[in-house]
């Protein structure tokens, strides 16, 4: 690997003679393509499973896969066409979301080359699917969540078989959770009830700390049932499951109308009715219900807060203080918790400084094509790379590992001019511990695997953070790849 990569510096250039001014432009010499600014949250709405069958119209826009093809700057729900257009427009207007639709005739995949492959998204929305997912699709969905994706499942009442193929959303989503080939034992900690609840305004629980009930889109007080169903919680299967909104007269493990959970490194939300997300503006001839704007409920805030949480905002809202992959109090499902652990999905799951996650040819990955490259500019620079994760309380073993390569142009054999700190932080950003500090003095050819015991953080929501700090003269590159947090 190269010993000097000072040409990787960010360059600010003025070419006045050509009328061209590059101010603060981020240029990485040796990269295979120019760095692109990453949108904060990428959401895929499914329309490949009869979401518009019969009287349904569960799409954000008729322009698919890209709703911006219908209107590139939507300001109202009617700028896009679909019963979910209010949802889509509200997210689009924040400037923090990139929205796409999986069109009819396509399949859900994970790890493929399609632009709509789940590896290119942070959240998948399943708005009342009406055809069964294939075996390959169910495996793709489960692995997407396990590796850090967010999954929003929206059902309807039992018997709402809109395309008359013998399967309604209750059966389809229960099949996903019990017949997927990844984890068939209620991996999210709940099952959907076979009910048709005609009407009601179910109330939210009292929890001022929950990010879904108290998110940036407003406070949630209650929701709406207009022919819907509920779920039965099964905390013995996953103690992270948590009911947020309950049918009147119900609490605890029964009658949950809206709930959240976690699985692996990912997050899950479930809603028992499609009427709350219906904005009444679907295709002509459909009988629609404007639940989105129902003054008796806070459906819009609930949908939007949940979307933000699933995409990575807020703290983990699993039961008992959170938990991943069956985590939480007293249980542990062995597995690897970090999402996008080898960086092959690019700028997903991790929070990173610009250009850190890259496939630039000037350095080499430990495996695959992508890696995380901190510093290497030859100027006073700080790069960061971090990911939040819940360490299940029942796990007695939690081992963080990663492969690290360091090369440098520094000549000193005694002074650490450039450093990489590996730290653990709590949900408030307070440093709980520094696992290691590496420097230009540790430079060597090839990668070395580094490992640390994190079992002392069991039962906590923590953030793993790499911070590279470089001096003002010679470059040092800290290259990280193939991370893992294995618990058992």
């Amino acid at each position: 690997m190269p010993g000097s990569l000072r040409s990787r510096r960010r360059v600010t250039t003025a070419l006045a003679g050509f009328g061209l001014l590059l101010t603060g432009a981020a240029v990485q010499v040796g990269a295979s393509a120019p760095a692109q600014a990453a949108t904060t949250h990428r959401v895929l709405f499914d329309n490949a499973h009869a979401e518009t069958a019969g009287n349904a119209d569960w799409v954000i826009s008729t322009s698919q896969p890209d709703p911006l093809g219908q209107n590139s700057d939507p300001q109202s729900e009617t700028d896009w066409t679909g019963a979910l257009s209010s949802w889509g427009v509200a997210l689009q207007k924040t400037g923090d979301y990139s929205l796409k639709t999986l069109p009819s005739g396509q399949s859900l995949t994970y790890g493929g080359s399609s632009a709509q492959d789940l590896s290119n998204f942070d959240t998948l929305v399943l708005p009342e699917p009406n055809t069964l997912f294939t075996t390959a699709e169910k495996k793709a969905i489960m692995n997407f969540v396990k590796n850090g994706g967010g999954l929003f499942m929206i059902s309807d009442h039992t018997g709402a078989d809109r395309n008359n193929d013998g399967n309604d959303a209750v059966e389809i989503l229960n099949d996903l959770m019990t017949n997927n080939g990844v984890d068939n034992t209620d991996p999210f900690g709940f099952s959907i009830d076979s009910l048709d609840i005609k009407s009601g305004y179910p109330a939210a629980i009292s929890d001022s700390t929950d990010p879904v009930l108290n998110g940036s889109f407003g406070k949630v007080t209650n929701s709406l049932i207009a022919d819907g169903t509920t779920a039965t919680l099964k905390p013995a299967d996953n103690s992270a499951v948590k009911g947020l909104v309950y049918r009147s007269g119900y609490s605890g493990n029964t009658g949950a109308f809206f709930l959240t959970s976690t699985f692996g490194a990912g997050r899950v939300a479930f809603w028992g009715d499609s009427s709350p997300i219906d904005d009444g503006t679907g295709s002509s001839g459909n009988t629609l219900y404007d639940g989105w704007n129902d003054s008796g409920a806070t459906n819009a805030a609930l949908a939007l807060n949940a979307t933000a949480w699933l995409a990575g905002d807020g703290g983990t809202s699993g039961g008992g203080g959170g938990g991943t992959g069956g985590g939480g109090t007293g249980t542990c499902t062995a597995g690897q918790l970090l999402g996008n652990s080898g960086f092959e999905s690019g700028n997903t799951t991790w929070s990173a400084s610009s250009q850190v996650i890259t496939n630039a040819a000037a350095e080499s990955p430990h495996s695959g094509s992508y890696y995380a490259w901190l510093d290497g500019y030859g100027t006073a620079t700080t790069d960061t790379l971090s990911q939040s994760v819940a360490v299940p309380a029942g796990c007695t073993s939690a081992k963080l590992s990663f492969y690290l390569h360091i090369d440098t142009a520094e000549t000193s054999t005694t002074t650490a001019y450039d450093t990489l700190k590996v730290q653990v932080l709590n949900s408030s950003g307070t440093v709980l511990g520094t696992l290691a500090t590496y420097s230009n003095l540790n430079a060597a050819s090839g990668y070395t695997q580094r490992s640390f015991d994190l079992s002392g953080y069991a039962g906590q929501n923590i953030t793993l953070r790499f911070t590279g700090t470089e001096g003002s003269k010679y470059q040092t590159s800290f290259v990280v790849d193939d991370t893992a947090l294995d618990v058992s």
Side-chain angles (χ1 to χ4, degrees):
M1 294 187 183
S4 177
L5 295 171
R6 294 180 67 189
S7 61
R8 187 182 179 239
R9 293 174 297 174
R10 290 179 175 86
V11 181
T12 301
T13 307
L15 298 175
F18 293 91
L20 175 65
L21 178 64
L22 303 179
T23 305
V27 178
Q28 179 174 300
V29 179
S32 58
Q36 300 294 321
T39 302
T40 304
H41 302 314
R42 300 164 304 165
V43 183
L44 180 67
F45 286 81
D46 181 40
N47 185 37
H49 296 86
E51 279 87 356
T52 59
N55 203 43
D57 194 36
W58 310 130
V59 294
I60 57 174
S61 170
T62 52
S63 175
Q64 300 173 12
D66 190 354
L68 296 179
Q70 183 173 14
N71 188 312
S72 61
D73 186 25
Q75 297 299 311
S76 69
E77 62 184 29
T78 56
D79 288 337
W80 288 352
T81 303
L84 306 186
S85 61
S86 287
W87 189 353
V89 169
L91 293 174
Q92 180 67 32
K93 287 172 67 176
T94 68
D96 294 331
Y97 290 81
S98 173
L99 310 177
K100 296 291 188 293
T101 297
L102 183 70
S104 176
Q106 296 192 20
S107 298
L108 290 163
T109 61
Y110 181 59
S113 58
S114 167
Q116 279 71 57
D117 186 83
L118 288 174
S119 64
N120 298 316
F121 295 91
D122 305 305
T123 302
L124 169 65
V125 180
L126 302 177
E128 196 192 334
N130 260 262
T131 59
L132 287 166
F133 300 105
T134 66
T135 299
E137 286 181 315
K138 288 184 285 188
K139 185 175 181 180
I141 294 169
M142 296 300 294
N143 283 326
F144 167 68
V145 180
K146 186 176 181 179
N147 290 324
L151 177 63
F152 204 153
M153 298 189 295
I154 299 168
S155 185
D156 203 353
H157 61 90
T158 191
D161 179 9
R162 299 181 185 273
N163 59 344
N164 299 311
D165 68 346
N167 298 291
D168 57 35
V170 173
E171 296 164 326
I172 292 164
L173 294 175
N174 276 334
D175 178 69
L176 168 64
M177 295 186 287
T178 59
N179 185 30
N180 55 66
V182 176
D183 187 333
N184 299 324
T185 57
D186 295 316
F188 307 148
F190 70 94
S191 61
I192 305 171
D193 304 324
S194 294
L195 296 173
D196 183 354
I197 305 167
K198 295 301 182 182
S199 62
Y201 286 92
I205 65 171
S206 177
D207 186 347
S208 61
T209 66
D210 189 276
V212 175
L213 299 180
N214 303 275
S216 59
F217 292 97
K219 181 177 178 59
V220 175
T221 57
N222 60 342
S223 185
L224 159 78
I225 298 180
D227 286 312
T229 189
T230 56
T232 297
L233 308 191
K234 300 181 178 181
D237 294 331
N238 186 336
S239 62
V241 69
K242 178 181 180 181
L244 300 186
V245 179
Y246 281 87
R247 180 185 180 188
S248 179
Y250 290 79
S251 62
N253 293 336
T254 61
F257 182 60
F258 194 103
L259 62 84
T260 57
S261 188
T262 62
F263 178 66
R267 297 172 172 182
V268 178
F270 166 79
W271 211 338
D273 194 1
S274 52
S275 293
I277 55 170
D278 188 344
D279 65 15
T281 64
S283 298
S284 175
N286 284 352
T287 302
L288 302 167
Y289 188 100
D290 191 359
W292 186 268
N293 297 300
D294 191 317
S295 61
T298 49
N299 296 316
L302 183 53
L304 296 169
N305 286 345
T307 308
W309 177 77
L310 288 168
D313 283 354
T316 301
S317 69
T324 303
T329 304
T331 62
C332 179
T333 299
Q336 197 286 111
L337 302 184
L338 294 181
N340 192 19
S341 58
F343 307 106
E344 295 306 304
S345 297
N347 290 299
T348 66
T349 310
W350 296 91
S351 296
S353 301
S354 175
Q355 306 181 70
V356 163
I357 298 177
T358 181
N359 63 349
E363 287 283 3
S364 299
H366 177 258
S367 67
S369 301
Y370 283 79
Y371 55 89
W373 181 0
L374 294 89
D375 296 337
Y377 303 92
T379 59
T381 307
T382 297
D383 276 339
T384 59
L385 172 74
S386 65
Q387 184 175 148
S388 297
V389 62
V391 184
C395 294
T396 57
S397 173
K399 185 180 78 170
L400 170 68
S401 63
F402 55 89
Y403 284 86
L404 175 64
H405 164 69
I406 304 173
D407 60 59
T408 188
E410 298 285 0
T411 57
S412 175
T413 59
T414 58
T415 303
Y417 290 109
D418 313 312
T419 62
L420 175 72
K421 289 186 177 181
V422 185
Q423 296 175 308
V424 177
L425 292 72
N426 64 17
S427 57
S428 299
T430 301
V431 176
L432 301 177
T434 298
L435 303 177
T437 300
Y438 304 100
S439 74
N440 50 282
L441 301 179
N442 302 115
S445 61
Y447 279 89
T448 301
Q449 187 177 34
R450 312 288 183 169
S451 299
F452 302 92
D453 180 11
L454 299 188
S455 58
Y457 298 103
Q460 298 185 50
N461 299 317
I462 61 172
T463 296
L464 302 173
R465 186 176 71 186
F466 298 80
T467 303
T469 304
E470 193 171 39
S472 60
K473 190 172 184 181
Y474 297 116
Q475 78 84 24
T476 298
S477 294
F478 301 100
V479 188
V480 178
D481 201 2
D482 292 333
T483 67
L485 178 53
D486 295 297
V487 299
S488 60

